[in-house]
Amino acid sequence: MSRFEDIFGQPPAVIAQAPGRVNLLGEHTDYNDGFVLPTAIPQQTTVSLRPSGGGEFIVHAADLASESRFGRDAPPGDHFAQYVYGCIRGVEASGTHVPILDIHVRSTVPMGVGLSSSAALEVAMLRALRDLLSLDIDDVRIAQMAQRAEIDHAGVNCGIMDQMASSLADSSRMLFLDTRTLERRVLPRPAGTELLVLDSGLSRSLAASAYNMRRAECEAASNALGIAALRDVTDASSVDSLPEPQRRRARHVVSENRRVLEAANGVDAEHFGRLMNASHASLRDDYEVSVPTLDALVEMLQSHPDVHGARLTGAGFGGACVALCREGAAAGAGRDVIERYRRAGHVGRMLVPEPEENP
Ligand code: GLA
């Protein structure tokens, strides 16, 4: 894998990193002003850069072996470079001139599986710019600027969970976040547990269009209920007056918020696992963002003796699943389930714990 020096002939001025994230509970709640409970994963994105004195920005993506060049006022065509461009524009919009840069990106965060490789890139890029330009911005501001970059320049109308998790979470604890007020608490995982994350191998091709549709359905539901956001539902039965599918969408958001609050109060591993299983059922039946093969993988996880609970994670339609396992048993459970999944005709892989042969 190339280094900055190999590509640009001299060392970088700054190097910054940010992790991907896996969400344990609180799916599709962030754009409803609700509650989420993600944690960082060990995989990181690293951005190295230095002012070049040249005429255009150059972004070298080591993992993609590709390079993108763009000017200050010309958005790049390459998807990965749009996140970088969005961060540069965000810093300029806040009043700081960004010099023309040589930029090198490498990442161990799996791409396209719902573990927020884009948030990791944005947060790492903004951390690098903060260091280079001595910007007076804290980690929450970084998350907000990263979200803006994604919405305005990568065209994804996302909530703020991923960027807050990448900017503020660590991989040993959970970040309980109120996405309306951005109040947060760092919480321990239930005692004696370990996380397992598997990639279902299913591409998330429907995710972007369905994501926007679900957002619109939630907005329609909160408008019909006369509230600012579904977070404000106080009587769960009030959603029963909504037409379908809004009723079920709202029911998911209300029940999912409740599960996050319950988990954040401190529950044991068994209880947390039950909340994860209920979250998956709600995402499958009420929110309809699962697919049968993903359900099958989640069921294989849920029925494993070392697994307390499991669910799809991220936007859905494919990508990754997360399971809460008995401490020390995650890698073994992962291998067992991947093998069962393979016998059922599908190809999955273990992402966390990081398998040695798949760094
Ligand atoms: C994507 C978005 C997040 C969040 C999740 C679903 O990861 O980027 O803001 O909405 O989907 O929980």
Side-chain angles (χ1 to χ4, degrees), residues 239-259:
V239 306
D240 290 338
S241 62
L242 293 167
E244 295 291 7
Q246 290 172 27
R247 184 183 72 89
R248 277 174 300 133
R249 306 298 185 248
R251 194 166 63 173
H252 165 72
V253 174
V254 171
S255 68
E256 188 76 350
N257 276 329
R258 222 181 26 230
R259 282 185 283 273

Side-chain angles (χ1 to χ4, degrees), residues 4 102 136 238 267:
F4 185 96
D102 286 340
D136 182 20
S238 65
V267 295

Side-chain angles (χ1 to χ4, degrees), residues 62-257:
D63 310 274
L64 308 172
S66 83
E67 197 165 278
S68 185
R69 293 166 179 258
F70 53 88
R72 203 175 288 285
D73 298 312
D78 295 311
H79 193 61
F80 77 91
Q82 287 164 3
Y83 300 108
V84 172
Y85 179 77
C87 294
I88 294 168
R89 293 309 301 241
V91 169
E92 297 226 299
S94 71
T96 304
H97 175 72
V98 179
I100 298 289
L101 300 166
D102 286 340
I103 303 162
H104 181 270
V105 179
R106 67 193 149 84
S107 182
T108 54
V109 182
M111 276 179 265
V113 298
L115 297 179
S116 297
S117 57
S118 59
L121 172 54
E122 291 148 5
V123 171
M125 179 66 196
L126 286 164
R127 284 179 174 168
L129 290 174
R130 173 169 68 183
D131 291 355
L132 181 76
L133 304 169
S134 305
L135 301 176
D136 182 20
I137 51 177
D138 65 11
D139 292 341
V140 171
R141 187 76 198 111
I142 288 228
Q144 290 168 323
M145 290 172 78
Q147 183 198 20
R148 225 34 281 158
E150 181 126 3
I151 294 174
D152 292 346
H153 297 279
V156 183
N157 196 15
C158 61
I160 199 162
M161 166 172 70
D162 303 347
Q163 292 78 13
M164 283 294 281
S166 181
S167 189
L168 287 131
D170 64 63
S171 59
S172 60
R173 293 168 304 170
M174 312 183 290
L175 180 75
F176 168 64
L177 174 70
D178 178 336
T179 64
R180 172 175 278 170
T181 63
L182 300 188
E183 275 167 47
R184 58 206 175 274
R185 271 188 288 143
V186 173
L187 302 172
R189 263 204 319 271
T193 62
E194 190 184 355
L195 292 181
L196 169 65
V197 181
L198 300 184
D199 175 14
S200 68
L202 303 169
S203 102
R204 300 186 307 151
S205 48
L206 277 174
S209 56
Y211 188 86
N212 291 335
M213 199 189 294
R214 293 296 178 277
R215 274 198 83 136
E217 288 164 352
C218 288
E219 260 167 53
S222 58
N223 286 341
L225 294 170
I227 52 181
L230 288 177
R231 139 57 169 290
D232 298 312
V233 170
T234 44
D235 171 9
S237 66
S238 65
V239 306
D240 290 338
S241 62
L242 293 167
E244 295 291 7
Q246 290 172 27
R247 184 183 72 89
R248 277 174 300 133
R249 306 298 185 248
R251 194 166 63 173
H252 165 72
V253 174
V254 171
S255 68
E256 188 76 350
N257 276 329

